[in-house]
Amino acid sequence: MEAFWISLAVIFVAELGDKSQLMAMTFATRFKPWPVLAGITLATAVVHLFSVGVGRLAGDLIPTTAIAVIAGIAFLGFAVWTLRGDELTDEESQKAQRTTRSAIIAVTVAFFLAELGDKTMLATITLATQHGWFGTWLGSTVGMVAADALAIAVGRMLGKHLPEKTIRYGAAAAFAIFGVILLAEPLFG
């Protein structure tokens, strides 16, 4: 359960202000929310299953102290990445606007491709090096879907963008805190 809750919280925060939320909002303006959420869930489940597999393999091969230091540095990097922000490219935005195929297929494919190499994928790999694979997979998937569902709901209600700076700064601070805690564990633990 610890892996589930940690992964859910970390990935939820990582997803705030991410381009995936912008994609979710864009798809929600074109399709009904439930097919969009279904597509997001399918893509996320597959990408994060792959991520925990990579993370578990790395966790078995690399010493625990090295993993903690690498994870801490990675989370500090995620903080900087989050501060920098994410935006949809013109191509990604046009794909979301003009897709006329099945909403679930369109969203699944778009999210699958967008998440490859994204910070949430890398964060999931990092978490899986230290926690159980199933809890990490389930927690990271639920965290990402919950954050994207929030973006869809708020975006549909307000018809505007979320207060991007506040969300970005809060998410970056959370990543920085996780990074410092991970770095402090092998030094003082």
Side-chain angles (χ1 to χ4, degrees):
M1 284 308 290
E2 180 183 349
F4 172 81
W5 290 113
I6 290 171
S7 298
L8 187 147
V10 168
I11 299 305
F12 182 86
V13 168
E15 190 63 10
L16 296 177
D18 193 68
K19 73 177 177 182
S20 301
Q21 280 194 315
L22 298 174
M23 285 178 62
M25 289 169 132
T26 303
F27 276 119
T29 63
R30 180 141 174 95
F31 303 116
K32 293 180 180 181
W34 293 114
V36 174
L37 278 175
I40 290 169
T41 303
L42 286 170
T44 301
V46 171
V47 169
H48 288 197
L49 187 60
F50 173 75
S51 299
V52 296
V54 170
R56 282 310 313 154
L57 193 75
D60 291 342
L61 299 175
I62 302 171
T64 307
T65 302
I67 288 172
V69 171
I70 292 167
I73 292 168
F75 275 89
L76 292 174
F78 297 151
V80 172
W81 189 347
T82 301
L83 277 176
R84 189 196 73 188
D86 257 344
E87 292 182 14
L88 287 177
T89 64
D90 289 338
E91 182 182 335
E92 289 169 330
S93 185
Q94 287 173 0
K95 279 183 189 176
Q97 295 284 342
R98 70 172 183 252
T99 302
T100 56
R101 288 178 265 148
S102 167
I104 294 175
I105 293 170
V107 173
T108 300
V109 170
F111 268 80
F112 179 81
L113 295 174
E115 286 305 307
L116 293 177
D118 193 49
K119 70 181 169 203
T120 51
M121 180 185 181
L122 299 175
T124 302
I125 291 170
T126 303
L127 288 164
T129 64
Q130 298 181 339
H131 301 285
W133 76 268
F134 184 75
T136 300
W137 171 69
L138 190 60
S140 66
T141 300
V142 170
M144 184 160 163
V145 172
D148 288 338
L150 177 66
I152 291 168
V154 171
R156 288 178 67 89
M157 282 191 317
L158 299 178
K160 298 177 183 178
H161 291 288
L162 296 168
E164 209 171 307
K165 273 188 178 177
T166 303
I167 291 170
R168 194 174 359 168
Y169 292 151
F175 271 122
I177 290 167
F178 282 121
V180 169
I181 289 169
L182 285 168
L183 286 171
E185 277 182 23
L187 298 174
F188 304 109

